[in-house]
Amino acid sequence: MAEPVLRGLYALPPGTDFAREFVEGFLDRMAGQPPEAMARVTIYANASRTLAEMKCAFDKRGPLLLPRLLPVTNLETPTMLGQAEAAPLVRRLQLARLVARLLDARRDLAAGHSIASLARSLAGLMQEMQYEGLGPDALEGIDTGDHARHWQNALAFLRIAAQFHLEGAPVDRAARQRLAAELIAQDWAQGINLPPGPVIVAGSTGSHGATRLFMEAVARLPEGAVVLPGFDFEQPQSVWDSLDQGTEDHPQSRFAPLIRSLGRPARWTGTTPPVPQRNRLISLALRPAPVTDQWIAEGPRLPDLMAPTEGLTLIEADQPGAEAEVIALILRDAAERHEAATLIAADGNLIRRVNAALDRWHLRPDESAGQPLTLTAPGLFLRQVAALFGQPLTIDRLLVLLKHPMTITASPRVGVNEARLLARQLELELRHNGPAFPDGKCLRDWASRGDGLRKVWAEWLADLLDRITPLARDRAPRPLPDRLRDLLSLADALAAGPDGNAAASRLWTDRGGPLLRATIDHLAEHAGHGPSLSAIEFCALLLDEMGQQSVRVEGDAHYLHIRGPREARIVGDGLVILSGLNEGGWPQALKPDPWLSRQMRSAAGLPLPETLIGLAAHDFQQVMGLPQVILTRARRDAEAETIPSRWLNRLTNLMGGLPERRGPQALAAMRARGDLWLARARAVSHPAGAVRPAPRPSPVPPALPFRELPVTDVSLLIRDPYAVYAKRILGLRPLPPLRPEPDASLRGQTLHSIVQALLEAKPAPDTPHAVLKAQFLRLTETVLERDVPWPAARAFWAARMERIADRIVADELDRLSQGRPVVVEKRGRVTLSGMDFTLTARPDRIDLLHDGRVVIYDYKSGKPPTDKQIAAFDKQLILEAAMARRGGFDSLGPVDVAGISYIQLGGEGETHPRDYSPQLEAENWDGFLRLVAAYLAGGIGFASMRAPEQTSYAGDYDHLARYGEWSLADAPHLTKVGDGHG
C-alpha cells in the first residue's frame, strides 16, 4: 500500500494545543495505512518537553505502533558515528584559560565581569557562529574603524579565540549539528542516503541556521513535512514580504526565511483556533513598527471587540508582591474547582513569590523549570563554604554554616538537634564577648567552660577554624583542581561533624544533593583544563556551573502548573496566566554582549540580539490565542515605576483607539475583571475588622519598680522613661550585633581604654612632654592592636590620637600638677534615705586636688554636652559631683567639688569645663530626688519618648513601644501593669 503523502510546509495557528493538534493531523494522514507504516515515520521535535506531550497525545489515542520521536537539536549522520564529542564544560574551561590570559594583560576590557561569565558568553558566541556555519574568517570582514578602542581590542582577541575554537574537527554539539544539517541537505538534494520513511519536523521555529537548513531539506523530501507552531494565518502577504533585517523583534520573523524558501504553509488540521477573532486582533497589534499605520486602515475592519476579549483579564497590581498574591489566589481558586491552571512566568523571583503565597494553602504546583541548584539547601551550603576562601571569618559567616541544615548530619557523637543548640549558645557567647573574627583559640577557651558534649563539639569546631582562619589570605590564583579539592574537603568536614561519614551526610543525600555531587564530580573531572583562579573567581565559576542545573519540583497540586515562556506552544486546556508583563520582565532585558556590538554582529552575519525578543513575542502570541488568559503586571518595582511590556502596550493602545469596535469598553471590562481579583486578594491579605493603632504607652508598674539606677540612665529616664522601664524593670536588653563593626560605640570604648591605660601607668607631674607623648602613642598602638581587629579602623583611630596627642599630654601634665587621679573607672554608690533606692556611678576619672577638693572628668569621643543640655537632661557629671559630696566613692569619702569638665578625645583634644556651683549641684540633686520619688511611688507612668532631644531620636525599644502607630503629638496612655495592681 502506498505511503501517505507528506510534503512541504504546514503550520498550526496560535491558541491551539500544538502537541495534541499535531498528533490529530498526523493520525488523520495515517488513516487507512497498516500499523507498521506509522513505525516507519521519524518525527523530530523542537524540545524534549514537546516530545513528552506528543507521547501523551499518542497514548490517549489507544494502543499504537509509535513513530520514532527524536529531538531536532541532536542530528547525526553515519559518517559522524564514532567521532568523539567534547564535553561543553571542557570547551568553556579552555576558553576560560584564554580569557584569564586576556585579563592578565588587559583588565580594563572586562570591568565588572568574572572569568566564568566571560567564558560562558564567549562559548555562547562561538556556538552561535557554529550554528550559523560561520568560521574565523567571518570576523575578518568586520571594520572597527569607527568603533571605540574597546571593541577593537575585543575583536582582536575574538579572532584568536575563534581560530582556537572553530578550526579543526567538529567536537562541539553546535558544530556537529551544523555539519550534520549540511551533509543531510547536500545528500538529500542529490538523492543520496534518503531516509527509509517519511520525516516530519514539528514545533520548531528554525531559530538558528542549522535547524532551519535541516527543516528546508526535510520539506523538500518526497515524503517530508515541516509543521510550524503558532503561525499567523491572519497576517497579510505584504507584511510577510517586509519581515527582513530590522524586524527581528516581530513574533513571526523567524518564519520569514522559510516562507521565502518554501512558500506559504498549509494548515496542518482544519481545526478552528479557540478564538479566531482574537488572533486577528493580536496579529494587528503586533505588526512591525514601520507598518503600525495599518492600525488605522485595518482596525475598523475588526469585529466588535467585546466578544473576542471576553476571556481576557488584565491585572495591574501596585507592586510585585501584590501581583504574586493575586496570582496565587487565582491558582488556589482553580485548584478548589479542580480545573487546570498554568502560570507562564519568565521571572524566577516572581515564581518564588507565588510559591511562597501558595504555601498558606499548602499548594505546590508542578514547576517544569524546577528549583535552581544554587537555591537548594546543598547548593546554598556549598556556596557558603566557598565564600570562606579569601575572606576573614566573621561571626555571621560562621553561624550561617553552623545553623545550616546540612551541617553535622552524619556524626555519631553529636546529634543534629544538639548541634543546633550548641550553635545557639555559641552565638550568644560571640555576640556578647566576641571576638569579631572567631578562631580556634576562642573556641577552645569556650569549650573549657562547658560540659562534655560542648567540649566534643567545640574542639571539633576549633580544629576546623584552625583550617579556616588562614584561608582569609588565600586570594592569589591557584590551580582549579586544588581549589576544588580544598572546597570539597572543607565541605565534607562540616557536613559530617565529629567522627562523621561525609558520604552519609545530608549534603549529598538530601534533595538536590545527588545532582550537586554529579555537578561537582563533572567539574573535578575536567578541572585540569581550566585556568588558575583567585578565590573570588572560583566562587563565580562555581556559581555559574551550579546555576545551569535545576532540581525537579514535583507538585502535589496536579491541576496547577508553572511553565516557562518557551513552553507556551504546548500549554493544554484550562486557564493560563501570563505574568510579569513589564519591560525587562517579559520580554526580558537583553544582556550586554562584551565581545561584539550590534553593528559588528550584523557585519559578521550573526543574528541580532532582538531575535530573542522576537522569539519571546512569538510565545506571547501563541498564548494569547487560548480561550481564558489572565495578563498580570506590577505598576512599580522596588526602585521605580515600571513600563508595561511592549506587547501589552500595543494591545491596549490599539483597543483604546477603536471606539467604533467598542475597544475602550472591552479594555475597561478586562481591567474590571482584574480589579475584582485584586479586591479579593486584598481581602485575603487584610484582616476582616479594623485594627486600632496602639496608643503611646505609659506603663505604671507597682510601687518600687526598681531599687537601683546608674547615673548614666538618668538622662534616659528624663527623655525616654519607657526605655528605662523596658531595660530595668522588664529586664530586656538588645542583643549585640551579629557582625560587630568599628562603630562610634567601639571607638568610644577603645579611646577610653587608651587614656585609662595611661592613667594606670601613673605618670609623674614632671615627666617630660616628649616622653609622655611617646608613652601615650605606644599605649594607643597596644590597645588598638588588642581591641580593634580592623586594620583600616586601627589606622584611622591611631591617626586621630596622634593628631591630638600634644594637646592631651600638655593638659594631662597640667592636671597632674594640680592633683592626682584617685578614682579611675571605679564604681560608687549612694543610697537615698527613706526610698530603698541606690544611685550608682562609674566615673571615668576623679582627681583629688592639692587643696582637698575634687574635679570630676568624663572622656568624650564625640561632642561634649553643652551647659544647656546639662541643665535639661544630661545629669551624669553633676550627679556624680553630688555623690562625691555624700561620700559615694570609698577611696575619697565626703569631699567638696571644685568643678566638672569633659576631656574630648577627638577634635582638638580640648578640655571643656562646665558651669558648676554647690547651689547648682543642690538644685539638680533635689530635682533628681523628686523625679525618682515620683516613679518609685507609681505617681507617673514610664512614657515613651517623653522628651526626646530630637524628633529623629531612635531608641532600642521603639518597636516594643510600637512607635509608628502613634506619634509624638499623641498623649501618653497611662496603663497600670504588673501583679501588684491586682
Side-chain angles (χ1 to χ4, degrees), residues 179-204:
L179 178 61
E182 290 175 349
L183 292 175
I184 289 172
Q186 180 180 346
D187 287 352
W188 289 357
Q190 300 174 10
I192 303 172
N193 296 324
L194 292 176
V199 178
I200 305 174
V201 178
S204 177

PDB file of all heavy atoms in Angstrom, residues 179-204:
ATOM      1  N   LEU A 179      27.199  20.646  10.799  1.00  0.00           N
ATOM      2  CA  LEU A 179      27.783  19.744   9.813  1.00  0.00           C
ATOM      3  C   LEU A 179      26.778  18.683   9.381  1.00  0.00           C
ATOM      4  O   LEU A 179      26.648  18.381   8.184  1.00  0.00           O
ATOM      5  CB  LEU A 179      29.040  19.087  10.389  1.00  0.00           C
ATOM      6  CG  LEU A 179      29.743  18.076   9.476  1.00  0.00           C
ATOM      7  CD1 LEU A 179      30.202  18.749   8.184  1.00  0.00           C
ATOM      8  CD2 LEU A 179      30.925  17.433  10.201  1.00  0.00           C
ATOM      9  N   ALA A 180      26.048  18.128  10.342  1.00  0.00           N
ATOM     10  CA  ALA A 180      25.053  17.107  10.007  1.00  0.00           C
ATOM     11  C   ALA A 180      23.971  17.692   9.109  1.00  0.00           C
ATOM     12  O   ALA A 180      23.554  17.050   8.118  1.00  0.00           O
ATOM     13  CB  ALA A 180      24.439  16.545  11.287  1.00  0.00           C
ATOM     14  N   ALA A 181      23.512  18.912   9.429  1.00  0.00           N
ATOM     15  CA  ALA A 181      22.473  19.538   8.606  1.00  0.00           C
ATOM     16  C   ALA A 181      22.984  19.789   7.187  1.00  0.00           C
ATOM     17  O   ALA A 181      22.265  19.572   6.192  1.00  0.00           O
ATOM     18  CB  ALA A 181      22.017  20.843   9.249  1.00  0.00           C
ATOM     19  N   GLU A 182      24.227  20.231   7.060  1.00  0.00           N
ATOM     20  CA  GLU A 182      24.790  20.485   5.736  1.00  0.00           C
ATOM     21  C   GLU A 182      24.942  19.193   4.939  1.00  0.00           C
ATOM     22  O   GLU A 182      24.609  19.143   3.742  1.00  0.00           O
ATOM     23  CB  GLU A 182      26.139  21.189   5.871  1.00  0.00           C
ATOM     24  CG  GLU A 182      26.027  22.630   6.373  1.00  0.00           C
ATOM     25  CD  GLU A 182      27.392  23.255   6.597  1.00  0.00           C
ATOM     26  OE1 GLU A 182      28.400  22.505   6.574  1.00  0.00           O
ATOM     27  OE2 GLU A 182      27.459  24.485   6.807  1.00  0.00           O
ATOM     28  N   LEU A 183      25.449  18.126   5.570  1.00  0.00           N
ATOM     29  CA  LEU A 183      25.622  16.855   4.873  1.00  0.00           C
ATOM     30  C   LEU A 183      24.279  16.273   4.451  1.00  0.00           C
ATOM     31  O   LEU A 183      24.126  15.769   3.329  1.00  0.00           O
ATOM     32  CB  LEU A 183      26.375  15.868   5.775  1.00  0.00           C
ATOM     33  CG  LEU A 183      27.839  16.199   6.060  1.00  0.00           C
ATOM     34  CD1 LEU A 183      28.427  15.206   7.051  1.00  0.00           C
ATOM     35  CD2 LEU A 183      28.651  16.205   4.768  1.00  0.00           C
ATOM     36  N   ILE A 184      23.301  16.348   5.373  1.00  0.00           N
ATOM     37  CA  ILE A 184      21.976  15.809   5.052  1.00  0.00           C
ATOM     38  C   ILE A 184      21.357  16.577   3.890  1.00  0.00           C
ATOM     39  O   ILE A 184      20.813  15.979   2.940  1.00  0.00           O
ATOM     40  CB  ILE A 184      21.075  15.868   6.295  1.00  0.00           C
ATOM     41  CG1 ILE A 184      21.536  14.820   7.327  1.00  0.00           C
ATOM     42  CG2 ILE A 184      19.625  15.640   5.927  1.00  0.00           C
ATOM     43  CD1 ILE A 184      20.840  14.941   8.661  1.00  0.00           C
ATOM     44  N   ALA A 185      21.413  17.907   3.947  1.00  0.00           N
ATOM     45  CA  ALA A 185      20.819  18.719   2.877  1.00  0.00           C
ATOM     46  C   ALA A 185      21.508  18.444   1.543  1.00  0.00           C
ATOM     47  O   ALA A 185      20.850  18.342   0.495  1.00  0.00           O
ATOM     48  CB  ALA A 185      20.920  20.200   3.238  1.00  0.00           C
ATOM     49  N   GLN A 186      22.830  18.295   1.566  1.00  0.00           N
ATOM     50  CA  GLN A 186      23.574  18.038   0.336  1.00  0.00           C
ATOM     51  C   GLN A 186      23.235  16.664  -0.231  1.00  0.00           C
ATOM     52  O   GLN A 186      22.970  16.518  -1.435  1.00  0.00           O
ATOM     53  CB  GLN A 186      25.070  18.150   0.637  1.00  0.00           C
ATOM     54  CG  GLN A 186      25.967  17.904  -0.580  1.00  0.00           C
ATOM     55  CD  GLN A 186      27.435  18.029  -0.217  1.00  0.00           C
ATOM     56  OE1 GLN A 186      27.790  18.537   0.833  1.00  0.00           O
ATOM     57  NE2 GLN A 186      28.289  17.529  -1.120  1.00  0.00           N
ATOM     58  N   ASP A 187      23.203  15.655   0.634  1.00  0.00           N
ATOM     59  CA  ASP A 187      22.909  14.297   0.152  1.00  0.00           C
ATOM     60  C   ASP A 187      21.479  14.183  -0.349  1.00  0.00           C
ATOM     61  O   ASP A 187      21.225  13.624  -1.421  1.00  0.00           O
ATOM     62  CB  ASP A 187      23.145  13.283   1.276  1.00  0.00           C
ATOM     63  CG  ASP A 187      24.627  13.074   1.565  1.00  0.00           C
ATOM     64  OD1 ASP A 187      25.448  13.597   0.801  1.00  0.00           O
ATOM     65  OD2 ASP A 187      24.944  12.400   2.568  1.00  0.00           O
ATOM     66  N   TRP A 188      20.527  14.699   0.416  1.00  0.00           N
ATOM     67  CA  TRP A 188      19.133  14.558   0.020  1.00  0.00           C
ATOM     68  C   TRP A 188      18.837  15.316  -1.279  1.00  0.00           C
ATOM     69  O   TRP A 188      18.009  14.877  -2.083  1.00  0.00           O
ATOM     70  CB  TRP A 188      18.217  15.041   1.126  1.00  0.00           C
ATOM     71  CG  TRP A 188      18.209  14.116   2.332  1.00  0.00           C
ATOM     72  CD1 TRP A 188      18.864  12.938   2.457  1.00  0.00           C
ATOM     73  CD2 TRP A 188      17.498  14.331   3.557  1.00  0.00           C
ATOM     74  NE1 TRP A 188      18.621  12.368   3.692  1.00  0.00           N
ATOM     75  CE2 TRP A 188      17.776  13.219   4.386  1.00  0.00           C
ATOM     76  CE3 TRP A 188      16.675  15.335   4.034  1.00  0.00           C
ATOM     77  CZ2 TRP A 188      17.247  13.093   5.670  1.00  0.00           C
ATOM     78  CZ3 TRP A 188      16.141  15.220   5.300  1.00  0.00           C
ATOM     79  CH2 TRP A 188      16.421  14.105   6.123  1.00  0.00           C
ATOM     80  N   ALA A 189      19.516  16.440  -1.468  1.00  0.00           N
ATOM     81  CA  ALA A 189      19.301  17.201  -2.691  1.00  0.00           C
ATOM     82  C   ALA A 189      19.765  16.411  -3.910  1.00  0.00           C
ATOM     83  O   ALA A 189      19.229  16.584  -5.018  1.00  0.00           O
ATOM     84  CB  ALA A 189      20.028  18.540  -2.620  1.00  0.00           C
ATOM     85  N   GLN A 190      20.746  15.524  -3.698  1.00  0.00           N
ATOM     86  CA  GLN A 190      21.268  14.695  -4.786  1.00  0.00           C
ATOM     87  C   GLN A 190      20.627  13.313  -4.820  1.00  0.00           C
ATOM     88  O   GLN A 190      21.031  12.456  -5.598  1.00  0.00           O
ATOM     89  CB  GLN A 190      22.790  14.549  -4.635  1.00  0.00           C
ATOM     90  CG  GLN A 190      23.530  15.870  -4.681  1.00  0.00           C
ATOM     91  CD  GLN A 190      25.017  15.704  -4.390  1.00  0.00           C
ATOM     92  OE1 GLN A 190      25.530  14.581  -4.338  1.00  0.00           O
ATOM     93  NE2 GLN A 190      25.722  16.818  -4.227  1.00  0.00           N
ATOM     94  N   GLY A 191      19.665  13.100  -3.913  1.00  0.00           N
ATOM     95  CA  GLY A 191      19.004  11.805  -3.868  1.00  0.00           C
ATOM     96  C   GLY A 191      19.827  10.716  -3.217  1.00  0.00           C
ATOM     97  O   GLY A 191      19.596   9.522  -3.448  1.00  0.00           O
ATOM     98  N   ILE A 192      20.803  11.102  -2.404  1.00  0.00           N
ATOM     99  CA  ILE A 192      21.697  10.143  -1.746  1.00  0.00           C
ATOM    100  C   ILE A 192      21.285  10.001  -0.285  1.00  0.00           C
ATOM    101  O   ILE A 192      20.916  10.981   0.372  1.00  0.00           O
ATOM    102  CB  ILE A 192      23.161  10.615  -1.840  1.00  0.00           C
ATOM    103  CG1 ILE A 192      23.564  10.817  -3.303  1.00  0.00           C
ATOM    104  CG2 ILE A 192      24.107   9.644  -1.150  1.00  0.00           C
ATOM    105  CD1 ILE A 192      24.930  11.454  -3.471  1.00  0.00           C
ATOM    106  N   ASN A 193      21.386   8.766   0.242  1.00  0.00           N
ATOM    107  CA  ASN A 193      21.117   8.488   1.663  1.00  0.00           C
ATOM    108  C   ASN A 193      19.754   9.016   2.097  1.00  0.00           C
ATOM    109  O   ASN A 193      19.595   9.576   3.192  1.00  0.00           O
ATOM    110  CB  ASN A 193      22.207   9.098   2.552  1.00  0.00           C
ATOM    111  CG  ASN A 193      23.567   8.491   2.309  1.00  0.00           C
ATOM    112  OD1 ASN A 193      23.669   7.284   2.046  1.00  0.00           O
ATOM    113  ND2 ASN A 193      24.611   9.308   2.391  1.00  0.00           N
ATOM    114  N   LEU A 194      18.761   8.845   1.227  1.00  0.00           N
ATOM    115  CA  LEU A 194      17.421   9.289   1.581  1.00  0.00           C
ATOM    116  C   LEU A 194      16.883   8.472   2.744  1.00  0.00           C
ATOM    117  O   LEU A 194      17.211   7.283   2.893  1.00  0.00           O
ATOM    118  CB  LEU A 194      16.489   9.156   0.374  1.00  0.00           C
ATOM    119  CG  LEU A 194      16.772  10.104  -0.794  1.00  0.00           C
ATOM    120  CD1 LEU A 194      15.847   9.789  -1.948  1.00  0.00           C
ATOM    121  CD2 LEU A 194      16.611  11.553  -0.358  1.00  0.00           C
ATOM    122  N   PRO A 195      16.077   9.060   3.603  1.00  0.00           N
ATOM    123  CA  PRO A 195      15.538   8.320   4.750  1.00  0.00           C
ATOM    124  C   PRO A 195      14.615   7.192   4.278  1.00  0.00           C
ATOM    125  O   PRO A 195      13.956   7.312   3.229  1.00  0.00           O
ATOM    126  CB  PRO A 195      14.776   9.384   5.541  1.00  0.00           C
ATOM    127  CG  PRO A 195      14.467  10.450   4.543  1.00  0.00           C
ATOM    128  CD  PRO A 195      15.597  10.453   3.565  1.00  0.00           C
ATOM    129  N   PRO A 196      14.543   6.094   5.053  1.00  0.00           N
ATOM    130  CA  PRO A 196      13.712   4.949   4.624  1.00  0.00           C
ATOM    131  C   PRO A 196      12.215   5.200   4.722  1.00  0.00           C
ATOM    132  O   PRO A 196      11.434   4.421   4.194  1.00  0.00           O
ATOM    133  CB  PRO A 196      14.135   3.838   5.586  1.00  0.00           C
ATOM    134  CG  PRO A 196      14.627   4.558   6.803  1.00  0.00           C
ATOM    135  CD  PRO A 196      15.255   5.829   6.300  1.00  0.00           C
ATOM    136  N   GLY A 197      11.799   6.247   5.429  1.00  0.00           N
ATOM    137  CA  GLY A 197      10.378   6.538   5.576  1.00  0.00           C
ATOM    138  C   GLY A 197      10.148   8.027   5.671  1.00  0.00           C
ATOM    139  O   GLY A 197      11.078   8.842   5.585  1.00  0.00           O
ATOM    140  N   PRO A 198       8.894   8.415   5.855  1.00  0.00           N
ATOM    141  CA  PRO A 198       8.589   9.838   5.974  1.00  0.00           C
ATOM    142  C   PRO A 198       9.309  10.487   7.164  1.00  0.00           C
ATOM    143  O   PRO A 198       9.560   9.852   8.182  1.00  0.00           O
ATOM    144  CB  PRO A 198       7.074   9.848   6.171  1.00  0.00           C
ATOM    145  CG  PRO A 198       6.601   8.545   5.611  1.00  0.00           C
ATOM    146  CD  PRO A 198       7.699   7.568   5.880  1.00  0.00           C
ATOM    147  N   VAL A 199       9.606  11.766   7.011  1.00  0.00           N
ATOM    148  CA  VAL A 199      10.274  12.551   8.057  1.00  0.00           C
ATOM    149  C   VAL A 199       9.451  13.818   8.286  1.00  0.00           C
ATOM    150  O   VAL A 199       9.041  14.475   7.317  1.00  0.00           O
ATOM    151  CB  VAL A 199      11.722  12.912   7.667  1.00  0.00           C
ATOM    152  CG1 VAL A 199      12.367  13.767   8.767  1.00  0.00           C
ATOM    153  CG2 VAL A 199      12.537  11.672   7.417  1.00  0.00           C
ATOM    154  N   ILE A 200       9.231  14.148   9.568  1.00  0.00           N
ATOM    155  CA  ILE A 200       8.478  15.345   9.930  1.00  0.00           C
ATOM    156  C   ILE A 200       9.270  16.108  10.984  1.00  0.00           C
ATOM    157  O   ILE A 200       9.792  15.511  11.932  1.00  0.00           O
ATOM    158  CB  ILE A 200       7.082  14.998  10.487  1.00  0.00           C
ATOM    159  CG1 ILE A 200       6.309  14.126   9.496  1.00  0.00           C
ATOM    160  CG2 ILE A 200       6.301  16.262  10.811  1.00  0.00           C
ATOM    161  CD1 ILE A 200       4.982  13.627  10.038  1.00  0.00           C
ATOM    162  N   VAL A 201       9.360  17.411  10.817  1.00  0.00           N
ATOM    163  CA  VAL A 201       9.902  18.296  11.853  1.00  0.00           C
ATOM    164  C   VAL A 201       8.728  19.089  12.409  1.00  0.00           C
ATOM    165  O   VAL A 201       8.034  19.782  11.658  1.00  0.00           O
ATOM    166  CB  VAL A 201      10.988  19.236  11.304  1.00  0.00           C
ATOM    167  CG1 VAL A 201      11.479  20.167  12.405  1.00  0.00           C
ATOM    168  CG2 VAL A 201      12.141  18.450  10.720  1.00  0.00           C
ATOM    169  N   ALA A 202       8.517  19.010  13.718  1.00  0.00           N
ATOM    170  CA  ALA A 202       7.331  19.623  14.325  1.00  0.00           C
ATOM    171  C   ALA A 202       7.730  20.500  15.505  1.00  0.00           C
ATOM    172  O   ALA A 202       8.537  20.098  16.342  1.00  0.00           O
ATOM    173  CB  ALA A 202       6.356  18.550  14.800  1.00  0.00           C
ATOM    174  N   GLY A 203       7.156  21.690  15.557  1.00  0.00           N
ATOM    175  CA  GLY A 203       7.286  22.541  16.728  1.00  0.00           C
ATOM    176  C   GLY A 203       8.464  23.476  16.725  1.00  0.00           C
ATOM    177  O   GLY A 203       8.612  24.275  17.644  1.00  0.00           O
ATOM    178  N   SER A 204       9.318  23.408  15.720  1.00  0.00           N
ATOM    179  CA  SER A 204      10.495  24.272  15.691  1.00  0.00           C
ATOM    180  C   SER A 204      10.218  25.516  14.866  1.00  0.00           C
ATOM    181  O   SER A 204       9.510  25.463  13.852  1.00  0.00           O
ATOM    182  CB  SER A 204      11.702  23.522  15.119  1.00  0.00           C
ATOM    183  OG  SER A 204      12.819  24.381  15.027  1.00  0.00           O
TER     184      SER A 204
END
